[in-house]
Every structure is written in structure tokens, then in C-alpha cells.
């Protein structure tokens, strides 16, 4: 990214946070759905337990990949860590909120 001022960094972080929260919610709902389908494999047609387990693993891997791409500081582009309520970047010190 180009040099961003403080206001742009806060706005970009807000967008990233919203995407991250959406991804967490979607992943959680998909995993619950897969658990329900796993329990009742005939609910939406014939699915094997192996297929459902594979879908769960793929969902988790996709979430991890998305988070690695999305959850970065808008200023220095380094990973922000596991704290979703971060106020400042631990690498460059940019204010995020």
C-alpha cells in the first residue's frame, strides 16, 4: 500500500476487522452445518462421513488462509496476531482504532 495517513489506516483496519468477523461467523456456521449433516447423512442426499470430514478440513484450511492474508496491519503489512481487539500494531506501532 502507499503511504497512508492515520485516518486511512483506521478505516482500512475497520474493513479488515469486519471481513475477519464475517469470516469467523461464516466458518462457525459452516462447521455447525457440517456437524448436522454428519449426524444425518441422508438429510441432503447421500454424503459419506469421509466427504463431510473433508469439507470440514477444507473449511478450516480456507479460514486459516484467509486470515493469514486479511489479518495484517494496513501500515506495515505484518501479521497482527491473535488479538482481535488490537488497538495498535505491535510491529510498527500504528494506531488501528
Amino acid at each position: 500500500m502507499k503511504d497512508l495517513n492515520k485516518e486511512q489506516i483506521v478505516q482500512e483496519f475497520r474493513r479488515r476487522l469486519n471481513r475477519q468477523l464475517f469470516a469467523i461467523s461464516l466458518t462457525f456456521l459452516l462447521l455447525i452445518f457440517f456437524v448436522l449433516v454428519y449426524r444425518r447423512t441422508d438429510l441432503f442426499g447421500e454424503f459419506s462421513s469421509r466427504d463431510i470430514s473433508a469439507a470440514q478440513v477444507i473449511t478450516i484450511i480456507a479460514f486459516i488462509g484467509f486470515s493469514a492474508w486479511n489479518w495484517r496491519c494496513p501500515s506495515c503489512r505484518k501479521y497482527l496476531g491473535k488479538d482481535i481487539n488490537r488497538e495498535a500494531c505491535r510491529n510498527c506501532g500504528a494506531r488501528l482504532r
Side-chain angles (χ1 to χ4, degrees):
M1 288 186 141
K2 297 178 181 177
D3 292 334
L4 300 175
N5 65 32
K6 293 177 183 180
E7 194 172 303
Q8 290 172 323
I9 291 171
V10 171
Q11 288 175 351
E12 178 61 24
F13 175 74
R14 191 175 304 125
R15 281 192 290 274
R16 290 174 189 240
L17 178 62
N18 288 337
R19 285 192 303 249
Q20 194 67 29
L21 292 173
F22 178 77
I24 290 168
S25 301
L26 181 63
T27 301
F28 183 70
L29 290 173
L30 281 173
L31 291 176
I32 288 175
F33 173 74
F34 291 138
V35 167
L36 294 174
V37 172
Y38 185 84
R39 293 245 190 216
R40 303 233 8 230
T41 55
D42 61 339
L43 192 61
F44 295 104
E46 293 292 325
F47 289 105
S48 71
S49 304
R50 180 184 251 171
D51 291 340
I52 296 168
S53 297
Q56 289 173 326
V57 169
I58 290 169
T59 301
I60 292 169
I61 290 171
F63 173 74
I64 291 170
F66 174 78
S67 293
W69 169 79
N70 180 62
W71 198 238
R72 297 189 173 275
C73 173
S75 181
C76 69
R77 304 191 82 171
K78 294 199 177 173
Y79 184 68
L80 289 170
K82 59 185 174 182
D83 181 13
I84 199 145
N85 293 318
R86 188 165 296 284
E87 296 287 330
C89 176
R90 64 184 168 154
N91 297 305
C92 68
R95 186 177 68 84
L96 302 172
R97 291 180 186 246

